[in-house]
């Protein structure tokens, strides 16, 4: 056999082929990139994925079973070698280490040198390999596992069930009867039959789950890509172990480039140093990184230092402005933590935030809503599973379609009346959403609606608050106003006085939802 026609499947690849949609998705997990294929190229890719990692991919076998000429397949394979999907040899440990160094250097160099215009930063409607695959393949393609609500940090803005808001409260994070490892293996197998391509491991902190490494191992051997959201505290010293499973990306929460501010939010002294050390190590290993930062009163004057930290390590920074109240009904986030209008006037002018308001954006950031579509994409191809097995649309949207302790994934996906109801909803069914001028500026979260009102169809105050602030700012700017008064965002933030009622802990603020509450969770009325 010609040596130029021998190819191997590397151990950093995984993916799926859908015979129904005649499409395939392949991940180069080292680079954190996914690729979408259709028709005959997808069919060829399916044979690559059927071969165990580090084994020879037989071109003649593919040609005989597809009717595609070996010359065409060989040409295609040479293209795939350029993106690391197949290789002409099994790489040594030294070669892989060098590959990781190259990725790390590229990420850091690109991040340090890249200067984007506002236009380039704007959140636009784009397609990705995962979105394209899900649209054509159907089924359940992506799921988040909230492995546990237990966590090594005590963040003041955490919305999870059982989280505390001050140092005097006793945590309820570990009170749920959580799924066992055997449950997860069964659920992963069932999800795979429904078309699963990727899992996100989250929490709480996933490394607070005693068998998280078993789940990671099971996912890798099942050829399922995984993302991981963590604070990193319990990952210290295990970064190389994690890198050996090739996570598609790792998200680490950092709330300020200033250690003291970050630690005041997590309420764990030394947490900043540990989290940053994990970012540093994973970056050196070439792992794709996302640094996640919620912007609140506590960190508004220093949140932009997180971008500088992210660039240093070649990570993507992800800011979140619409901090949410607790799923259990605790209102202290909206009362004490979210930014008041005068601060939003400054931060909304930051084109690194997804809610940017400015003349570079169409309608200064407003986007008209299609009333024939549902404003929320969760609960169609993507779902979330809570620590105790509830099958829900997403981590912020706790409307249960059934519990996986006593029902299979297929049974819920095919038979749940609530799921069928939800998938038929459009904006026309919402009580207020989409019916006001400010609705064009709303980043509508059906989960916020549900947590506050017991139904996803009634507008949540938090959603409306952000929409109204953005709308008001846009109207003033259209009339020539400059909220920054010719200054930079940094200059404006240095001049503001931020009123922080309680710097390290918050008093519980509950709002009863029409008297419907069981164990702190509002009981929804939907059908």
């Amino acid at each position: 056999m010609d040596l130029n026609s021998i190819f191997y499947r590397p151990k950093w690849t995984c993916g799926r082929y859908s015979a129904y949609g005649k499409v395939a998705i392949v991940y180069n997990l080292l680079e954190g990139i996914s690729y979408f294929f259709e028709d005959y190229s997808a069919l060829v890719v399916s044979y690559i994925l059927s071969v165990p990692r580090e084994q020879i991919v037989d071109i003649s076998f593919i040609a005989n079973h597809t009717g595609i000429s070996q010359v065409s397949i060989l040409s295609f394979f040479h293209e795939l070698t350029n993106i690391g999907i197949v290789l002409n040899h099994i790489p040594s440990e030294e070669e892989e280490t060098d590959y990781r160094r190259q990725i790390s250097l590229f990420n850091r160099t690109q991040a340090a040198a890249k200067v984007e215009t506002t236009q380039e930063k704007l959140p636009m409607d784009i397609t990705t390999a995962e979105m394209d695959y899900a649209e054509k393949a159907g089924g359940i393609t992506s799921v988040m596992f909230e492995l546990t609500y237990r966590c090594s940090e005590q963040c003041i803005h955490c919305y999870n069930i059982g989280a505390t808001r001050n140092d005097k409260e006793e945590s309820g994070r570990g009170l749920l009867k959580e799924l066992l490892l055997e449950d997860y293996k069964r659920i992963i197998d069932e999800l795979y039959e429904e078309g699963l391509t990727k899992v996100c491991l989250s929490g709480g902190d996933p490394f607070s789950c005693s068998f998280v490494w078993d789940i990671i191992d099971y996912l890798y051997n099942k050829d399922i890509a995984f993302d991981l959201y963590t604070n990193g505290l319990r990952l210290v010293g295990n970064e190389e172990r994690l890198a050996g499973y090739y996570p598609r990306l790792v998200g680490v929460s950092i709330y300020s480039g200033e250690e003291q501010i970050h630690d005041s939010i997590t309420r764990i002294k030394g947490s900043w140093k540990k989290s940053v050390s994990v970012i540093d190590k994973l970056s050196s290993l070439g792992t794709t990184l996302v640094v996640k930062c919620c912007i609140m009163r506590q960190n508004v004057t220093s949140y932009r230092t997180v971008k500088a930290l992210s660039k240093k390590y070649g990570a993507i920074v992800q800011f979140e402005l619409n901090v949410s109240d607790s799923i259990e009904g605790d209102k202290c986030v909206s009362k004490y933590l979210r930014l008041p209008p005068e601060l939003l006037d400054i931060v909304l002018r930051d084109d690194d935030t997804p809610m940017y308001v400015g003349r570079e954006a169409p309608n200064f950031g407003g986007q008209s809503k299609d009333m024939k579509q549902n404003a929320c994409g969760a609960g169609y191809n993507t779902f979330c599973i809570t620590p105790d097995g509830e099958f829900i649309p997403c981590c912020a949207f706790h409307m249960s379609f059934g519990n996986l302790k006593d029902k299979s994934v297929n049974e819920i996906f095919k038979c749940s009346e609530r799921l069928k109801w939800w998938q038929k909803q459009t904006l026309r069914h919402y009580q207020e959403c989409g019916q006001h001028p400010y609705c064009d500026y709303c980043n509508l979260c059906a989960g916020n609606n549900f947590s506050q009102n017991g139904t996803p169809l009634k507008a949540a105050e938090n959603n409306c608050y952000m929409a109204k602030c953005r709308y008001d700012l846009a109207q003033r700017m259209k009339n020539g106003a400059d909220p920054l008064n010719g200054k930079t965002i940094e200059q404006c933030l240095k001049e503001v006085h931020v009123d922080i009622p309680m710097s390290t802990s918050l008093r519980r603020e509950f709002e009863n939802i029409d008297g419907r509450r069981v164990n702190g969770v509002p009981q929804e009325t939907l059908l």
Side-chain angles (χ1 to χ4, degrees), residues 226-299:
F226 72 93
D227 298 346
L228 199 147
Y229 293 162
T230 179
N231 58 45
L233 271 59
R234 288 180 171 159
L235 188 53
V236 175
N238 286 297
E239 297 91 345
E240 289 190 9
R241 180 182 182 184
L242 177 62
Y245 283 108
Y246 308 98
R248 190 189 73 104
L249 68 81
V250 176
V252 182
S253 299
I254 300 289
Y255 302 113
S256 175
E258 298 180 21
E259 179 180 350
Q260 184 177 2
I261 294 177
H262 173 89
D263 289 0
S264 73
I265 292 173
T266 66
R267 291 194 286 155
I268 298 295
K269 188 175 181 179
S271 59
W272 186 90
K273 287 182 179 178
K274 289 184 179 180
S275 295
V276 172
S277 74
V278 167
I279 291 173
D280 184 18
K281 183 61 176 179
L282 289 176
S283 173
S284 70
L285 293 168
T287 303
T288 300
L289 292 167
V290 174
V291 175
K292 302 161 72 68
C293 175
C294 294
I295 306 174
M296 304 166 278
R297 291 191 188 196
Q298 273 74 357
N299 66 347

Side-chain angles (χ1 to χ4, degrees), residues 5-22:
S5 65
I6 298 177
F7 293 88
Y8 298 83
R9 180 189 165 196
K11 55 185 177 180
W12 54 74
T13 59
C14 69
R16 277 306 283 268
Y17 171 72
S18 168
Y20 169 78
K22 297 182 179 179

Side-chain angles (χ1 to χ4, degrees), residues 67-68 83 90 105 110 121 127 157 169 217 287 309 374 382 421 443 476 478 483 486 492 522 525:
I68 304 171
I83 56 176
I90 298 175
L105 179 62
Q110 284 290 102
K121 293 179 182 179
T127 59
H157 63 287
E169 290 183 306
D217 185 74
T287 303
L309 184 145
N374 198 332
T382 65
W421 172 86
N443 186 22
R476 284 183 279 127
K478 288 177 182 179
C492 290
T525 52

Side-chain angles (χ1 to χ4, degrees), residues 201-487:
L201 301 178
S202 183
D205 183 70
F207 290 99
S208 293
C209 173
S210 61
F211 47 79
V212 61
W213 290 105
D214 297 290
I215 292 177
I216 288 172
D217 185 74
Y218 198 76
L219 290 169
Y220 178 73
N221 289 314
K222 192 81 176 179
D223 251 4
I224 299 171
F226 72 93
D227 298 346
L228 199 147
Y229 293 162
T230 179
N231 58 45
L233 271 59
R234 288 180 171 159
L235 188 53
V236 175
N238 286 297
E239 297 91 345
E240 289 190 9
R241 180 182 182 184
L242 177 62
Y245 283 108
Y246 308 98
R248 190 189 73 104
L249 68 81
V250 176
V252 182
S253 299
I254 300 289
Y255 302 113
S256 175
E258 298 180 21
E259 179 180 350
Q260 184 177 2
I261 294 177
H262 173 89
D263 289 0
S264 73
I265 292 173
T266 66
R267 291 194 286 155
I268 298 295
K269 188 175 181 179
S271 59
W272 186 90
K273 287 182 179 178
K274 289 184 179 180
S275 295
V276 172
S277 74
V278 167
I279 291 173
D280 184 18
K281 183 61 176 179
L282 289 176
S283 173
S284 70
L285 293 168
T287 303
T288 300
L289 292 167
V290 174
V291 175
K292 302 161 72 68
C293 175
C294 294
I295 306 174
M296 304 166 278
R297 291 191 188 196
Q298 273 74 357
N299 66 347
V300 67
T301 59
S302 67
Y303 81 90
R304 284 182 62 82
T305 59
V306 176
K307 181 181 179 182
L309 184 145
S310 300
K311 292 186 72 169
K312 177 181 177 181
Y313 296 108
I316 301 166
V317 65
Q318 188 177 90
F319 291 119
E320 175 59 62
L321 264 172
N322 196 12
V323 288
S324 303
D325 282 318
S326 168
I327 290 166
E328 295 178 291
D330 183 346
K331 295 291 179 181
C332 71
V333 168
S334 57
K335 183 167 184 176
Y336 297 121
L337 300 184
R338 75 180 180 190
L339 302 184
E342 60 270 21
L343 285 177
L344 282 173
D345 275 357
I346 300 172
V347 178
L348 288 171
R349 294 289 295 125
D350 185 347
D351 56 14
D352 284 314
T353 67
M355 291 188 173
Y356 172 77
V357 174
R359 59 179 52 85
E360 297 87 352
N363 195 24
F364 283 71
Q367 293 182 312
S368 60
K369 302 288 191 295
D370 184 352
M371 300 299 288
K372 296 179 181 178
Q373 299 292 326
N374 198 332
C376 178
Y380 295 86
N381 300 111
T382 65
F383 294 86
C384 176
I385 298 171
T386 66
D388 56 341
E390 298 294 344
F391 195 64
I392 62 177
C394 85
C395 59
F397 187 0
H398 278 235
M399 179 173 67
S400 178
F401 302 128
N403 193 291
L404 289 166
K405 286 180 179 177
D406 48 40
K407 293 183 180 179
S408 70
V409 171
N410 182 268
E411 184 179 1
I412 293 175
F413 191 58
K414 298 293 174 61
C415 302
S416 170
E417 292 300 322
R418 181 172 290 175
L419 176 57
K420 293 176 183 178
W421 172 86
W422 168 244
Q423 292 182 340
K424 292 178 182 177
Q425 301 309 297
T426 69
L427 262 177
R428 289 177 176 173
H429 296 101
Y430 284 61
Q431 295 178 26
E432 275 193 88
C433 299
Q435 299 178 24
H436 307 282
Y438 58 81
C439 290
D440 287 351
Y441 294 83
C442 183
N443 186 22
L444 199 160
C445 175
N448 283 348
N449 288 358
F450 182 77
S451 293
Q452 179 177 326
N453 301 307
T455 171
L457 305 184
K458 184 177 180 181
E461 184 274 338
N462 199 45
N463 290 342
C464 294
Y465 172 80
M466 292 299 298
K468 290 174 181 177
C469 287
R470 295 184 71 218
Y471 173 76
D472 178 65
L473 176 58
Q475 301 316 302
R476 284 183 279 127
M477 290 190 67
K478 288 177 182 179
N479 291 324
D482 176 13
L484 302 182
N485 295 315
K487 302 174 184 178

